């Protein structure tokens, strides 16, 4: 696909392809973390095609409600410095944060295709270890400092509270406005895509490298540097 002619969006079938690529690469380069899973869903009435529907799910992720500047650390390391898992033994990468006395916030993340904008959308919810849901103010306070900075400075990263399109329950989501524009700019900045065209199967990997930072999750550099779609 010619990147200059591309509008930064993707179709439902392309979303499914890119979703499986993200899940496969995440499992390959992030083996110590829970895997993304594909959840097949009943067709929604607003989709006119016969293409299979579904979304990506990553659940029971624990983010410690403590910001790095409070610990005197200088950088935001994403998941290696802020994440652990529910009902699993902590891994070496999470040992550092496990030693601090702070509350744990658990997150469920869903990546869902938006037919109106023709882009992926990150839906999420958060709750305490006892199961009590967190309101947005509590969520923002618990995110690492780099996430709070992204929310305050980026014009497209505002959070809304809306009904989950498949679960019919209120979830938070990062609004998709502007996604197609910055995704095209992101691909234009990659010399490989400028030379060989858009590798649409890598769309979600590139997309989550930006969006994940807003909620305290980052993609390993090896995953970004690997251009093989698997």
């Amino acid at each position: 696909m010619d990147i200059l002619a591309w509008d930064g969006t993707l179709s439902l079938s392309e979303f499914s392809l890119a979703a499986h690529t993200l899940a496969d690469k995440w499992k390959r380069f992030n083996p110590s973390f829970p895997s993304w899973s594909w959840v097949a869903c009943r067709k929604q009435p607003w989709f006119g095609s016969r293409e299979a529907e579904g979304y990506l799910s990553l659940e029971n992720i624990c983010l410690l409600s403590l910001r790095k500047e409070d610990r005197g650390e200088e950088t935001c390391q994403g998941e290696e410095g802020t994440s652990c898992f529910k009902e699993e033994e902590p891994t070496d990468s999470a040992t550092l944060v496990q030693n601090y006395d702070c509350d744990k916030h658990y997150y469920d993340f869903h990546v869902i295709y938006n037919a109106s904008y023709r882009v992926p959308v990150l839906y999420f919810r958060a709750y305490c270890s006892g199961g009590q849901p967190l309101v947005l103010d509590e969520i923002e306070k618990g995110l690492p400092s780099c996430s709070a900075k992204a929310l305050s400075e980026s014009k497209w990263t505002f959070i809304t509270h809306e009904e989950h399109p498949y679960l019919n329950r209120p979830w938070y989501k990062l609004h998709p406005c502007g996604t197609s524009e910055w995704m095209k700019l992101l691909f234009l900045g990659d010399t490989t895509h400028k030379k060989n065209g858009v590798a649409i199967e890598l769309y979600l990997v590139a997309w989550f490298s930006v969006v994940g930072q807003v909620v305290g999750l980052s993609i390993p550099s090896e995953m970004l540097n690997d251009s093989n779609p698997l």
Side-chain angles (χ1 to χ4, degrees), residues 6-105:
W6 181 52
D7 63 358
T9 66
L10 72 172
S11 66
L12 179 60
S13 60
E14 291 170 337
F15 169 77
S16 176
L17 173 64
H20 285 87
T21 299
L22 172 62
D24 289 343
K25 284 181 174 289
W26 181 275
K27 185 176 182 179
R28 176 183 172 190
F29 292 103
N30 246 350
S32 62
F33 274 72
S35 300
W36 287 94
S37 59
W38 176 259
V39 181
C41 299
R42 181 182 304 175
K43 287 183 65 63
Q44 298 292 340
W46 52 83
F47 283 123
S49 70
R50 297 182 178 180
E51 299 173 85
E53 291 181 33
Y55 60 88
L56 280 178
S57 174
L58 180 68
E59 300 190 345
N60 295 334
I61 298 298
C62 171
L63 299 179
L64 303 183
S65 58
L66 181 66
R67 293 200 176 165
K68 286 184 177 292
E69 65 263 32
D70 297 330
R71 303 207 303 262
E73 296 187 20
E74 297 178 355
T75 60
C76 180
Q77 302 173 9
E79 59 203 12
E80 289 188 356
T82 59
S83 301
C84 56
F85 328 120
K86 192 174 183 179
E87 299 178 355
E88 292 186 17
E89 291 298 322
T91 63
D92 291 340
S93 61
T95 301
L96 178 63
V97 293
Q98 291 285 338
N99 293 332
Y100 289 90
D101 184 15
C102 51
D103 294 333
K104 295 178 182 178
H105 291 170

Side-chain angles (χ1 to χ4, degrees), residues 121-136:
V121 179
L122 181 67
Y123 282 78
F124 65 96
R125 63 177 179 174
Y127 42 93
C128 299
S129 55
Q132 301 89 343
L134 299 177
V135 298
L136 184 56

Side-chain angles (χ1 to χ4, degrees), residues 10 15 55-56 109-115 117-124 160 162 165 172-177 179 203-204 207 211:
L10 72 172
F15 169 77
Y55 60 88
L56 280 178
F109 299 106
H110 290 173
V111 179
I112 299 175
Y113 182 74
N114 185 287
Y117 287 88
R118 302 184 71 239
V119 297
V121 179
L122 181 67
Y123 282 78
F124 65 96
T160 59
E162 301 181 19
Y172 292 105
K173 79 172 186 180
L174 290 178
H175 200 277
C177 68
T179 299
Y203 188 105
L204 280 183
W207 171 82
V211 171

